[in-house]
């Protein structure tokens, strides 16, 4: 058994981490923290009543290092790198769910803020197992991908050699409200969301450069990625509809099936995917279709599982030498 | 006062017609029919209890001609042209909400079925007032546009001279469930829709050729329109996100404001639009943004009002020489 | 034309007042205020773009008195009586949507706070037209009823002489989220509400004494009212299910129909009512059923119209000598 | 390992059985049937793609007996007793999720239809483990309780000795739409449910006599149970609000905690319960409150788990000598 810490346990991704780790066969939760501490776990998450209880500490790197070998950081960007830096120095493995180690330095600083842990940034591994499984197994620091990039990259990756990079890729994304966080804002008020849909930050979302960079790293090609996310009236789940041009005609389902033939957590469908069939799981479900040289890619993930916490646990499994699938949910909540 | 008939009063568009016509200052509802008749209007639409009542007939063209000067046909395609043909021969003006008179013959027969009223087809006017207001005023037969084409065409029209027609236009559309009709199917079951989203008929929807044809007729250019509609967990409303390339850089808000400066039922917004701000009204709300030569158009309508019944009433107003805005709703239901 | 002011225009009830008053045939909106002022009406309510605009002032009683003969106060309790007191002294008629003038002094102070305008409190008329129409016509100060009391009292009132007051009345109420206000809180977050339902303040809600007091005033009997409200995943609408014992067996539909035979804004149904058939209107829809001496009453209203703003406009109509129904919505938003 | 059959795999309860049994440590699914057979499991339940596959047979008792020692019957009433009778004769244990063996003969025939397996009816055990755990362990036939009775009985049971049976018990129940089944009807159409709530079968639902009978069997007292169910805009989950009079004043939380102190699948809360905290689990969550001698009980279950399938698996575990909690879900889906 390996002792693990969850730092940032109050939010949705923190709760999802708890839900998986409570019954993980190889991980033992020995430390739970929020930024303030002092709360009861059952007040934070009443659904855990009678299931699991533990003190909730005020997050402290030294205390973590005494109690855990690996820490999940479910913190905002900037706060996260402060902790990660300290934890790595104390020999604690880190799975960071924030954006802090996802991007190359220049891109990060352009879209977020000055980076305060450049030393570790260059060694961090981007935690998309389908791209970097071998590297994840050997690293002490995984940058867990963003939710939109996970669904977008998994959808587009099999096609990079066929896509005409002289034309833009347009990604129209739809996310459930859990992606906007637990904080009550005008945009998370029930009445703003219910019976509604709206785009936000069109062509300006910070996941756009993340998608672009990873596609370049895998393919060596510079794609012109254009990203428009929407909030939809749903709690969890995320769908990507990507539109682009091909250099040649292909059978997109055959391409997908070949590319993912050995992958346990990607499913290829011959019809458009939906949120509910993968909500509650680590699956990325993908459909694609062509009309002449126009390619439509349609992928879906659970934004707080495959797009955050279950991918984080899969990464932790790999980092600790375990099988990737331990405690990873595969049975959707549907209905 | 002009006497009008509603044929096909049982569905959502039939109900919306009733809601407007009950208090219309110039139209008098003298005939209401469904395909079977014999039902009570209050059984069909309990919300009309104490508001309005009238017998519901089995639809019959001769009876309509005796009682009304203008008929709204809210019928399925094919059924509609049978009635329209007879009504026009009996000198009844027709606003047809089906697809039967929307397309050129060849396109219609390719996507629907053999046409049975070719004589009237070539005289029918496409009922988008912003394109054909003058023609609508003079015709006896209006083909009321589809919901997706209304929002798509109104969004794209101002830009046709700037768009690079060598590159495809991708339209990612999202519709509330009322667009799928009142019939209970697997796709309209609450549990299929709630907490879900899914595409249907990607690149194959019958509104795709309608959008393409109207853009060609207005601009003389052949655009490569690619259309992917989705059902979302909402009752009413529809959003269009269209992606395309420009031949030159433009200020899209300025283009929209200039193009629609005299239009009463189009609103230009400087931020992304949402469903709720126009649901319940005849407005088409439009936002647009560019990144270099990439253009993003974002428009929203109430699919059963501007996308069907309120546009039908506006057309009827024009056909009868009245002001376009009579009984047309402008105050959104929000919250 | 009578000039009117809306004080507290930023919330849902403020918006509903605007929606009705914009086209009111006899009222002219001459003053709009929020507690801070300085905002644009279109920022507060984007759906009003192109429909109506006006400056939004910082609420000030003297300015109101210069510009309006009647003021709607859509303010929190306590704040409201401060304004009302001043306005009445300046000869401005007041329709107060808060709780400040709804209750007898002792009850008010027990459940709210010390009363600061006792002089006017005793002259205020409770604005339920079905109970106090004649008094409303003569007063300068109407206390607009709470949403739950409106639906509860209208449901129970016809039965007071048959109800056995030796047994409790249990009211199980369900409200859409607009009842909880526009402020973002944990209880209005989309994820707290969606796919959920929960009771709040069981047996402790401040509308309980309001219901009890009005039933006593009408019947002379002291009923033991026990009230449990719930939030449901809906934006607008409110349902009351009330359970009680009768002294004798009755035909409840006949009782309802007789009691409300002259009322334009109460509808009696022979089947259970639903939210959607009255949402968007001023109707109170009522169904009732007995099993032996057990009585079940089932009523529904739009909580921000009949439960707030449309009732307020009806009261204002009466206070100004107009017909009650002017600008009062009767056509439901359904679907 | 014990081989089990699922008969009636196409509905929601069939899917929930599959979700638990796929990873059950002691049960092996060897037979899956629907009434017609011949379908693919992945067509019935696309979410199971890549997780589990098996042929779907046309249900046949002899085939079941050859392949399984225990059968779950997720069939409509009447169809179910036909199968159960045959299976029991062939020595197959049966957990029947229909109403066929839940009631005493006379009550059954009054509310359902003539009973066709009276022999087994009198030996069937009502599968509420908190009432009949010892009997369940010894029987070959469990009648799995209805969803409403499960939540109602578990809420009321601890109080039977305190309740004044001279006064009625009123139960106001709220169910998610999965309780209405997978079939598309007017009442399960998205637009009928969304933004709505309505009662159905008030004082006439067939779960009313089931609640009454079980309370009598446990307490020896005849309670006057009056039941009004509602459909709410939610997919899964069910809430019971029960109102009644006590013979004496009590501390209801203390009563609940004492009564359930040894139960693993009942949780007592000091605040009103909600659907989401138990949705996805086998828990029944209960809160209660008194005002004088008036008692309010508020309980919640997942209607297709504790109200159907997870309770069925718990019963099967007991019938086969296993621990009750094997494969029983305890971690809620929330958020």
């Amino acid at each position: 058994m390996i002792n693990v810490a969850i730092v940032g346990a109050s939010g949705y991704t923190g709760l999802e981490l708890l839900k998986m780790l409570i019954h993980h066969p190889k991980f033992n939760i020995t430390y739970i923290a929020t930024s303030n501490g002092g709360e009861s776990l059952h007040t934070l998450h009443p659904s855990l009543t009678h299931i699991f209880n533990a003190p909730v500490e005020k997050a402290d790197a030294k205390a973590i290092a005494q109690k855990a070998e690996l820490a999940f950081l479910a913190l905002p960007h900037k706060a996260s790198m402060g902790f990660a830096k300290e934890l790595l120095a104390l020999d604690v493995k880190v799975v960071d769910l924030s954006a802090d180690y996802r991007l190359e330095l220049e891109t990060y600083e352009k879209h977020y803020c000055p980076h305060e842990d450049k030393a570790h940034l260059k060694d961090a591994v981007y935690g998309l197992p389908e791209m970097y499984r071998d590297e994840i197994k050997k690293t002490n620091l995984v940058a867990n991908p963003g939710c939109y990039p996970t669904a977008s990259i998994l959808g587009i990756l099999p096609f990079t050699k066929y896509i005409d990079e002289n034309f833009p890729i347009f990604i129209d994304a739809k996310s459930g409200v859990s992606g906007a966080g637990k904080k009550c804002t005008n945009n998370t008020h029930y009445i703003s969301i219910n019976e509604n849909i709206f785009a936000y930050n069109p062509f300006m979302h910070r996941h756009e450069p993340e998608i672009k960079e990873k596609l370049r790293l895998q393919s060596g090609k510079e794609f012109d990625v254009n990203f428009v996310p929407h909030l939809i009236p749903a709690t969890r789940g995320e769908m990507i509809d990507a539109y682009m041009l091909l250099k040649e005609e292909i059978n997109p389902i055959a391409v997908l099936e070949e590319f993912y033939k050995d992958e346990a957590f990607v499913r290829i469908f011959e019809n458009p995917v939906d949120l509910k069939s993968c909500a509650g799981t680590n699956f990325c479900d993908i459909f694609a279709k062509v009309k002449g040289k126009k390619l439509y890619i349609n992928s879906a993930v659970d934004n707080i599982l495959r797009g955050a916490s279950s991918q984080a646990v899969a990464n932790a499994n790999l980092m600790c030498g375990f099988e990737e699938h331990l405690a990873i949910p595969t049975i959707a909540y549907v209905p």
Side-chain angles (χ1 to χ4, degrees), chain A:
Chain A
M1 296 295 284
I2 290 197
N3 292 335
V4 301
I6 299 173
V7 184
S10 60
Y12 298 132
T13 53
L15 174 57
E16 292 298 328
L17 288 170
L18 283 161
K19 285 163 68 178
M20 284 173 282
L21 296 174
I22 285 168
H23 295 306
H24 194 290
K26 299 287 187 183
F27 289 150
N28 194 23
I29 307 170
T30 51
Y31 184 91
I32 298 174
T34 59
S35 43
N36 298 314
E39 293 143 295
S40 141
L41 192 59
H42 292 172
T43 306
L44 290 176
H45 303 300
S47 65
L48 297 180
T49 305
H50 283 223
I51 300 299
F52 182 76
N53 210 353
V56 178
E57 316 285 346
K58 180 169 162 57
D60 176 82
K62 288 197 188 61
I64 297 169
Q66 284 173 344
K67 293 203 177 165
E69 293 170 59
L70 182 146
F72 296 93
L73 304 185
L75 297 169
H77 77 267
K78 192 155 194 258
S80 211
M81 58 186 154
F83 269 99
K85 189 178 180 176
E86 261 193 277
L87 289 169
L88 291 162
L90 293 163
D91 262 341
V92 178
K93 289 183 168 72
V94 169
V95 179
D96 179 23
L97 283 84
S98 87
D100 280 349
Y101 298 92
R102 288 178 192 160
L103 296 170
E104 292 173 343
L105 178 62
E106 194 182 359
T107 313
Y108 182 86
E109 296 199 330
K110 181 173 169 197
H111 293 281
Y112 291 87
C113 60
H115 206 288
E116 296 165 6
D117 186 23
K118 291 168 193 165
H120 291 118
L121 175 58
K122 56 182 196 300
D123 297 328
V125 176
Y126 190 68
L128 195 66
E130 287 79 0
M131 278 185 81
Y132 294 114
R133 187 169 288 117
D134 291 342
E135 292 82 349
I136 295 165
K137 288 178 183 172
K138 294 175 210 144
T139 191
N140 285 330
L141 172 58
V142 157
N144 213 57
C147 53
Y148 289 127
T150 295
S152 299
I153 295 168
L154 289 173
I156 297 171
L157 216 51
F159 298 104
T160 52
K161 64 180 163 186
Y162 305 110
I163 298 169
D164 185 345
E165 70 264 37
N166 297 313
F167 286 99
I169 295 174
F170 292 112
I171 302 176
D172 189 288
K174 295 92 175 163
S175 175
V177 183
S178 55
K182 202 173 179 175
K183 202 176 151 192
C184 306
T185 66
N186 191 37
N187 270 5
T188 59
H189 193 294
Y190 182 79
I191 291 178
S192 303
I193 293 293
N194 189 46
E195 287 286 290
N196 211 0
I197 179 172
F198 51 85
Y200 63 99
N201 298 340
F203 291 167
M204 290 174 59
H205 194 281
R206 294 191 289 203
H207 284 174
E208 188 176 284
E210 185 177 337
I211 299 166
K212 192 176 155 71
E213 177 181 303
K214 301 312 165 193
L215 292 178
R216 172 173 52 77
L217 290 173
Q218 187 248 16
S219 70
K221 296 202 275 186
E222 199 71 46
F223 293 103
D224 178 12
V225 174
N226 300 276
F227 185 78
V228 177
H230 300 73
L231 278 189
I232 61 168
T235 290
R236 61 163 74 213
E238 191 171 280
M239 179 170 287
I240 294 297
D241 294 88
Y243 303 92
M244 66 211 75
L245 279 182
L246 294 165
K247 290 181 296 188
E248 59 186 286
E249 294 198 16
I250 58 170
N251 175 338
I253 300 294
V255 168
L256 287 167
E257 285 181 343
E258 172 61 22
F259 194 88
Y260 288 121
K261 65 177 187 289
D262 299 325
E263 289 297 339
F265 294 114
V266 175
R267 298 189 295 192
I268 312 307
F269 283 80
E270 303 207 348
N271 289 298
V273 298
D274 73 323
L275 290 197
K276 279 182 124 168
S277 293
C278 64
T281 80
N282 191 51
F283 285 117
C284 179
D285 287 350
I286 313 180
F287 161 77
K289 185 171 185 175
V290 296
K291 190 164 73 169
K293 290 192 179 165
K294 288 155 288 187
L295 173 61
Y296 165 57
I297 299 169
N298 177 224
S299 61
V301 297
D302 185 315
N303 60 314
I304 50 176
L305 285 174
R306 180 35 107 101
S309 299
S310 68
Q311 188 148 268
V313 174
N315 284 321
N317 287 338
L318 292 169
M319 291 165 81
C320 295
F322 301 137
E323 286 180 285
E324 185 175 340
H325 68 79
L326 294 187
I328 300 301
T330 57
I331 296 192
Y333 291 169
V334 62

